Amino acid sequence: MFERRLYHHLDWVLLGAVAVLTALGLLMIYSTTFDTFAGTVRPLFYKQLTAVGIGLVALLICVAVDYRTWAEYSLLLFGIIVAVLVYVLVFGDVGGGARRWISFGPANVQPSEFAKICLALVLAAFYAESRRGADNRADLAVSTIFMLVLAGLIAKEPDLGSAVALLPIFFGIVFLAGLRLRMLAIALAVALLVTPVAWRYALADYQRARIATFVNPEGDARGAGYQQIQARITVGSGGLVGKGFLQGTQGQYKFLPVAHNDFIYSVLAEEQGFVGVVVTLGLYLFVIVRSLEAARLAKDRLGAFLVVGLISGFTFQVIYNVTMSAGLAPVKGLTLPLMSYGGSSIIATLASFGLILNVRMRRFTN
């Protein structure tokens, strides 16, 4: 558990940057859920505020318990998350045509968000114990199975976005563990070769429609392309300094659907403008670079693998959400970490940073 002397080694700068992004997210969610006509905010904001509180507790727990202890129980945690994902497929709550959540009274939990942490833990522990590295085909096959089990269950919900988000975690760890660039190039070539088959047999009709809409959103401007077009309008309408907090028209008057979730970045751009976007992206870049420094300073391979896996997944989601909001990527249900609405997402993300802080804090321990 937490030793008082470790308090002095906690990375307060990284923690502060994470806190600022979380607070900024709460402000944007307040804005998008504010009822202009009634002068009140919707309950979604208070749900997110509660989730942030739970997330801070999760962060403290992940900091307090030695990351090596978490790794020791990684297989058990992996087994639990697999069982929970199977439970979701059979008994989970349905919403928007997908079965992704477990209901606990007024709250819904999305286990796929926590699967990302479990994958990073189990792969970090696996490669830390193996001295052969990811260049060994047997070890690479085992780690791939770990990833595919989780990705397959999540994709079955269906939640292709969260399933794909496991890939950066996997590749970040196996690359650091010694996978040669030649193998990555081969994997990319194979992926390109099977793309036509995947398009025909692996993707559902609505998923193919999303890609087609991304290529030509104006083809169905009032239907499938509406959200993407409105997102681009919202981003561009902010100008240099933005329209001001609670002053945006796209977000306030609901021209942009689910602005509090997948398109929170668009609302930020409208209200805070180019200046606000640059500051926010600068904060994200700082968090990523500071986390990578924690991996560099880690006292062992386990800590380095764990941090790289977690921050790889985080970076992928930031880049994808921002490019999606700008109309440069197909619309997919991937939140902007620390800012988008979503209780499970904010709790899992804060827990991840608890583990990253844990690794850096314990770099001087035995």
Side-chain angles (χ1 to χ4, degrees):
M1 295 298 291
F2 190 78
E3 301 174 42
R4 188 173 299 177
R5 64 187 178 85
L6 295 177
Y7 169 87
H8 302 288
H9 301 304
L10 190 65
D11 189 352
W12 293 101
V13 177
L14 175 59
L15 183 59
V18 169
V20 170
L21 283 171
T22 304
L24 183 58
L26 285 172
L27 286 175
M28 290 299 99
I29 292 170
Y30 183 94
S31 176
T32 55
T33 58
F34 185 79
D35 189 329
T36 306
F37 301 103
T40 58
V41 67
R42 292 164 59 194
L44 290 176
F45 171 75
Y46 298 106
K47 286 185 177 180
Q48 186 72 3
L49 194 60
T50 302
V52 168
I54 297 172
L56 291 175
V57 173
L59 183 149
L60 290 174
I61 294 172
C62 287
V63 167
V65 179
D66 195 317
Y67 67 91
R68 289 165 292 190
T69 302
W70 288 110
E72 287 176 10
Y73 291 97
S74 60
L75 280 177
L76 175 61
L77 294 172
F78 182 84
I80 292 173
I81 199 67
V82 167
V84 172
L85 288 172
V86 171
Y87 177 89
V88 169
L89 290 177
V90 180
F91 303 107
D93 291 348
V94 178
R99 194 184 295 271
R100 303 175 185 173
W101 301 272
I102 300 175
S103 178
F104 293 94
N108 291 324
V109 176
Q110 188 173 355
S112 59
E113 293 291 341
F114 302 96
K116 301 169 188 176
I117 300 177
C118 284
L119 180 63
L121 277 170
V122 75
L123 291 183
F126 176 73
Y127 280 113
E129 293 176 1
S130 172
R131 293 296 170 180
R132 295 177 295 186
D135 200 37
N136 180 273
R137 293 182 180 179
D139 285 357
L140 183 59
V142 172
S143 59
T144 302
I145 290 172
F146 279 127
M147 187 269 296
L148 289 179
V149 168
L150 294 178
L153 289 171
I154 294 171
K156 192 70 176 175
E157 294 177 352
D159 187 0
L160 188 59
S162 294
V164 171
L166 296 177
L167 290 175
I169 300 172
F170 170 77
F171 282 116
I173 293 176
V174 298
F175 178 74
L176 190 62
L179 185 66
R180 296 180 183 177
L181 288 175
R182 176 170 57 87
M183 294 295 293
L184 288 175
I186 292 173
L188 179 60
V190 171
L192 290 175
L193 288 173
V194 302
T195 296
V197 178
W199 174 268
R200 179 67 181 83
Y201 298 103
L203 295 181
D205 291 340
Y206 77 92
Q207 292 168 335
R208 288 194 290 268
R210 282 184 176 181
I211 297 175
T213 299
F214 162 67
V215 175
N216 182 29
E218 287 77 13
D220 189 8
R222 295 188 178 183
Y226 177 80
Q227 196 173 35
Q228 188 168 331
I229 293 171
Q230 290 300 317
R232 290 191 306 196
I233 293 173
T234 305
V235 170
S237 66
L240 180 63
V241 296
K243 298 176 179 178
F245 183 61
L246 296 179
Q247 300 303 312
T249 54
Q250 292 291 109
Q252 285 294 305
Y253 297 106
K254 315 308 176 191
F255 289 109
L256 179 62
V258 293
H260 60 285
N261 196 339
D262 297 343
F263 291 97
I264 199 76
Y265 170 83
S266 300
V267 177
L268 171 73
E270 181 184 32
E271 294 193 357
Q272 306 305 320
F274 179 75
V275 173
V277 165
V278 169
V279 171
T280 303
L281 292 182
L283 278 171
Y284 273 113
L285 179 61
F286 175 81
V287 165
I288 293 166
V289 172
R290 190 78 174 185
S291 297
L292 289 174
E293 185 182 9
R296 182 181 65 83
L297 296 174
K299 63 165 295 179
D300 53 21
R301 289 155 48 91
L302 172 63
F305 291 152
L306 180 58
V307 172
V308 166
L310 292 171
I311 205 61
S312 295
F314 177 85
T315 303
F316 169 77
Q317 280 198 229
V318 171
I319 293 174
Y320 192 93
N321 184 277
V322 169
T323 54
M324 178 187 74
S325 298
L328 301 176
V331 174
K332 202 66 194 164
L334 282 176
T335 58
L336 181 59
L338 297 176
M339 288 190 64
S340 291
Y341 175 81
S344 297
S345 175
I346 190 67
I347 293 170
T349 303
L350 289 174
S352 297
F353 278 104
L355 291 172
I356 293 172
L357 292 166
N358 192 328
V359 171
R360 183 174 182 130
M361 183 178 68
R362 286 184 163 82
R363 66 190 186 276
F364 298 120
T365 59
N366 296 323

